[in-house]
Amino acid sequence: MTSDTDWPSVSVVVTAHNAAHLVAGKLDNLSAVEYPGELDVNFVLDGCTDGTSNAISENLSQVSWDVHVVETDVRNGKEAAIRHALPRLSGEVLMFSDADAEMQPDTVLELVKKLKEPGVGVACGREWHLSRNKGSAGEGQGLFYRYEDLIKQMQEKCTSLCYVQGGVFAMWKNLYPDEIPVGCTQDGVIAFDVVLQGKRVAFQPSAVSQEYYDLGMQADFARRIRTVSRAFYSAWCRRQVFNPARTGWYGVHVLSARVLRWMVFPLALTSLAMLIATSIMGDRLAMTVLLCFCVWAIATFLGFLTEVSGKRISILYLPFYFTYIHLAAMLGVLRVLFGKRTTTWTPTR
């Protein structure tokens, strides 16, 4: 039988900005966590102005674990807040959870089990996005994450994951990056730095966390642009991962699973221009493919119309959503190329 001393100590890290309304629910969720080793909870507050710290103090009776609060007076962004708190985190393992996320009781344990496997530096869980509002972006987000999980399961068999799932992952504290450049995302830099140190980023689908995603289309589109811009800049800042002498095939997986997917929209536009030119010259195959492009474009436009009218039709939503996420990705990449950086994050509510 495994004793408590066989399990590494864990510091659960909950980074938040103005999350007073979420604290009671989060502490209630943390009270159900089952872990046989030492565990403490750390709320890392990034320039909160809504009394988040007071809300934590008022609800401490809900949880038996030790709870600590580390806060900054000025909002400098998630990475800066975590960097400020890092020396005060005592656990051998850092487990990150969003303020609005609901973990299963065994999520921490499942992540640590994966971490204990040879060569694993980071273990990522499965994040489920739920929607309370019919027609919100959460429905498409759920479809997107199911697709992402399929990719992770395949990557798990042959290499490391290309990014960490920011809302539910655990890592050895000594592997936390010495620096995360301003404008980069923690999710990307951690994965790249761990691989560059010779460790794996693994997927643990049995470690489940869920949160509600009720953003409307406009807010979701802006969030996607910010997310991709930070992820693309992270890949640029850690471009050593594309050196096969250092990471083997890992760089190829990052290129295909991340970078090329961000380029789908400009590649599609380039292909469309070539098809039009070839069709003018009478090529029948090009005409056929061009017709398919036109059908897709019409379906996308109709999907957009049904979306803004609040009357979503599933068969039209798929082409619309595919186009929508890849357009946002292209704009995110262009944002970086034009020198714009995002230094603070906006919590999804």
Side-chain angles (χ1 to χ4, degrees), residues 54 59 81 101 104 107 113 122 134 178 200 203 268 315 332 344:
N54 292 334
N59 290 277
Q104 297 295 320
T107 294
K113 283 180 181 178
V122 177
K134 184 175 177 58
D178 293 331
R200 285 199 307 121
F203 183 44
I315 196 171
T344 57

Side-chain angles (χ1 to χ4, degrees), residues 18-239:
N18 288 349
H21 61 296
L22 299 172
V23 165
K26 187 63 181 179
L27 286 170
D28 183 58
N29 178 241
L30 289 167
S31 70
V33 169
E34 299 170 356
Y35 184 69
E38 295 182 13
L39 182 145
D40 60 75
V41 176
N42 301 267
F43 282 88
V44 178
L45 308 184
D46 181 28
C48 294
T49 58
D50 68 339
T52 302
S53 182
N54 292 334
I56 294 170
S57 300
E58 293 167 2
N59 290 277
L60 282 179
S61 59
Q62 294 180 232
V63 60
S64 59
W65 307 108
D66 289 337
V67 177
H68 310 286
V69 177
V70 183
E71 57 184 322
T72 58
D73 295 329
V74 180
R75 188 184 184 196
N76 292 314
K78 183 176 183 178
E79 285 76 32
I82 293 173
R83 183 71 55 191
H84 173 72
L86 203 59
R88 309 183 196 186
L89 304 179
S90 59
E92 300 167 83
V93 169
L94 304 180
M95 187 275 165
F96 294 86
S97 178
D98 286 343
D100 57 348
E102 297 178 8
M103 296 186 290
Q104 297 295 320
D106 64 348
T107 294
V108 175
L109 179 59
E110 290 299 310
L111 289 173
V112 175
K113 283 180 181 178
K114 195 69 175 181
L115 274 182
K116 292 179 71 176
E117 293 182 7
V120 176
V122 177
C124 299
R126 184 194 299 272
E127 192 169 80
W128 290 349
H129 278 198
L130 308 177
S131 176
R132 285 172 291 221
N133 302 328
K134 184 175 177 58
S136 74
E139 294 182 50
Q141 187 75 351
L143 177 65
F144 176 78
Y145 269 100
R146 288 195 291 274
Y147 173 60
E148 287 291 304
D149 283 348
L150 178 62
I151 293 175
K152 289 174 189 173
Q153 290 170 17
M154 292 187 288
Q155 286 180 333
E156 167 77 11
K157 296 177 181 179
C158 58
T159 183
S160 289
L161 304 192
C162 297
Y163 67 99
V164 303
Q165 193 69 56
V168 53
F169 76 97
M171 66 180 299
W172 296 106
K173 182 183 178 183
N174 65 312
L175 293 178
Y176 194 85
D178 293 331
E179 176 214 10
I180 296 180
V182 174
C184 290
T185 176
Q186 177 192 41
D187 303 3
V189 172
I190 286 177
F192 298 153
D193 280 13
V194 165
V195 170
L196 288 168
Q197 293 180 70
K199 301 293 183 179
R200 285 199 307 121
V201 181
F203 183 44
Q204 182 69 311
S206 58
V208 177
S209 175
Q210 65 181 37
E211 56 188 83
Y212 287 98
Y213 191 90
D214 294 322
L215 294 183
M217 184 171 64
Q218 185 174 356
D220 176 69
F221 191 70
R223 187 200 67 84
R224 288 186 176 280
I225 292 173
R226 290 195 304 270
T227 299
V228 172
S229 68
R230 301 184 77 201
F232 180 72
Y233 189 57
S234 299
W236 172 255
C237 289
R238 292 296 190 267
R239 50 193 178 276

